[in-house]
Amino acid sequence: MRTTAYDLKSGKWSEAHDSLFTAQPDLNAQSACSWSPKEPRYDLKAFSLALRPLLAVHPSRRNSTAYRYDLVDVARQTVANRSRAMLPEIQAAYSAGDIERFQDLSHQWLQHIEDLDRIAATEPSLLFGRWLARARTSAGNPREEAQFEFDASSLLLEWGPESSRDSGIHDYASREWNGLLKYYAQRWQAYFSTLAVALQKRESRIPSIGSRWIRNMQGERSSMRKNLKEMHLP
């Protein structure tokens, strides 16, 4: 940790790279947020070595909230870093027309997002339902409750209205939170399904689903918000 995440060099970027699992689906994605580093800021394999010692901590020392948070955070980041290695592999399989490998890797990609969701579920500060519940408690009536929950969801799901999409601020507030990760998995799954169909038709280029696909996802977002309401915690 001291030589990786805790030793970011000064320069163009002040923060670490983000996770491609939360990026807008694109085989050429380099970051989730427009203003995030496009390349890893530290050695990913070296960082992953920090997880084993944390798992080996003596049981008598595992009860502190600090230890549990560090364990979850390192495990989460270790899995998230896999996206940096996997996406180029998925792109290579697609470009080669290898549908079997493409489907295998895309399945692994979605499985990693599911793993992240389970990891996040063990840490109270990483619960999307808790975020929504807090928004609702600020309301003075049912109408405000619904509006506050919608606003709290929109901040993380979209950040801005549809008209602001070209500004690059969408996914600016992306989070690897339990419940919210199901949304990212849903849109990657839709994207991979589109690419699988293209491979079966032996199309040589990546289909440009662009704004049409994004507009179709608006309906999916509405449905997802309804489902996420059922995940809240008191």
Side-chain angles (χ1 to χ4, degrees), residues 22-61:
T22 61
Q24 288 282 345
D26 187 334
L27 293 185
N28 296 307
Q30 294 180 301
S31 66
C33 174
S34 300
W35 298 285
S36 292
K38 309 305 179 186
E39 301 291 338
R41 295 289 317 281
Y42 53 76
D43 187 314
L44 303 184
K45 289 185 178 180
F47 177 89
S48 67
L49 298 177
L51 184 56
R52 188 178 295 275
L54 280 170
L55 291 171
V57 167
H58 192 275
S60 63
R61 300 180 179 179

Side-chain angles (χ1 to χ4, degrees), residues 45-110:
K45 289 185 178 180
F47 177 89
S48 67
L49 298 177
L51 184 56
R52 188 178 295 275
L54 280 170
L55 291 171
V57 167
H58 192 275
S60 63
R61 300 180 179 179
R62 296 179 183 176
N63 292 326
S64 73
T65 55
Y67 166 75
R68 291 199 297 270
Y69 182 87
D70 285 347
L71 178 60
V72 170
D73 201 34
V74 173
R76 177 201 57 76
Q77 190 62 55
T78 297
V79 175
N81 284 342
R82 285 289 298 140
S83 65
R84 294 281 168 173
M86 285 194 69
L87 194 57
E89 294 177 357
I90 296 174
Q91 182 188 45
Y94 182 85
S95 298
D98 188 342
I99 188 168
E100 183 175 347
R101 179 160 174 74
F102 172 81
Q103 290 180 325
D104 178 57
L105 289 171
S106 59
H107 174 75
Q108 290 181 43
W109 180 275
L110 296 173

Side-chain angles (χ1 to χ4, degrees), residues 1-9 42 46-47 50:
M1 294 285 289
R2 183 177 62 81
T3 59
T4 55
Y6 292 164
D7 188 35
L8 298 182
K9 306 302 181 184
Y42 53 76
F47 177 89

